[in-house]
Amino acid sequence: MAKLIFFLALLTLLVAAVSSTRDDGEDFTRTIDRKLLGLHKKEKLTHFKVYWHDILSGPNPSSMRIKLPVTNSTSYFGGATMFDNALTAKAEINSTLLGQAQGFYAGAAQKEFSFLVGMNFSFKTGKYNGSTITILGRNPVLSEVREMPIVGGSGLFRFARGYVEARTKFLNLKNGDAIVEYSCYVLHY
């Protein structure tokens, strides 16, 4: 009898081990404690202002057109530009470098000058060094103030959400160079 109980217990353990190693795609998620990710802390609202320098001219541009707009387009529709633009503390390009804005803008409207913008603000100085926020949204560039959502972040901005307000401070219509003030409102832990 003792041998039978031992055998059944061993068989039960073997069946449990085999079934727990089965890869049926059902066990790819798990619930974790929010405290492990710092989500038990009080959420903060951080506001900061940076200046985005979009330089298409000269020998070392920070923006490159990678796709020309549709022929006869007056709105840049279908055109696409990739950039790695400086983010500074003041509108002057030689002011304190806070980080880089890396991403793209593409002409997304046929009848108005409006871009789809996707970019990361990657901070390289101070408390937020190594942290990013991600902005993805519609930018009707001829409007005085444009609002775009912050859809995420990393580092000290993990689980970030919020919005930015963009205001053009300088635009050279001949070569496309621009300086844009970004006022950022970020909720994060």
Side-chain angles (χ1 to χ4, degrees):
M1 183 69 166
K3 287 183 182 180
L4 180 61
I5 292 174
F6 176 74
F7 176 73
L8 290 174
L10 187 60
L11 184 62
T12 303
L13 286 173
L14 184 60
V15 169
V18 169
S19 66
S20 69
T21 59
R22 189 180 64 170
D23 185 13
D24 59 6
E26 294 295 320
D27 296 326
F28 67 94
T29 65
R30 66 185 172 107
T31 302
I32 61 173
D33 186 353
R34 294 171 61 91
K35 291 179 185 176
L36 293 174
L37 297 175
L39 299 178
H40 63 289
K41 300 174 188 173
K42 186 176 180 183
E43 200 169 29
K44 297 176 278 241
L45 174 62
T46 299
H47 173 258
F48 55 91
K49 192 179 292 186
V50 296
Y51 292 86
W52 183 86
H53 298 268
D54 195 38
I55 310 300
L56 289 112
S57 67
N60 192 22
S62 64
S63 291
M64 296 294 293
R65 290 192 173 118
I66 57 171
K67 165 91 176 54
L68 293 175
V70 174
T71 305
N72 298 326
S73 172
T74 58
S75 68
Y76 196 71
F77 180 66
T81 301
M82 295 295 297
F83 59 84
D84 184 10
N85 292 341
L87 293 174
T88 61
K90 296 185 179 175
E92 296 76 29
I93 189 68
N94 61 353
S95 70
T96 303
L97 180 68
L98 301 175
Q100 297 298 121
Q102 299 165 326
F104 70 91
Y105 52 86
Q110 292 183 17
K111 296 185 173 144
E112 66 177 313
F113 202 50
S114 184
F115 294 143
L116 167 63
V117 177
M119 65 180 156
N120 289 315
F121 282 5
S122 176
F123 299 98
K124 300 186 180 205
T125 187
K127 175 181 178 180
Y128 297 106
N129 183 22
S131 298
T132 67
I133 60 171
T134 302
I135 299 160
L136 178 66
R138 180 177 181 271
N139 184 353
V141 295
L142 298 180
S143 297
E144 183 178 343
V145 179
R146 289 93 64 200
E147 187 175 300
M148 291 171 275
I150 295 171
V151 297
S154 67
L156 292 178
F157 290 125
R158 283 186 193 140
F159 294 99
R161 65 187 194 283
Y163 70 99
V164 298
E165 292 178 346
R167 292 173 175 83
T168 301
K169 295 300 181 183
F170 169 80
L171 175 61
N172 183 322
L173 293 174
K174 288 184 181 180
N175 63 22
D177 291 356
I179 300 170
V180 179
E181 175 190 280
Y182 277 86
S183 191
C184 307
Y185 300 86
V186 187
L187 283 167
H188 60 102
Y189 291 94

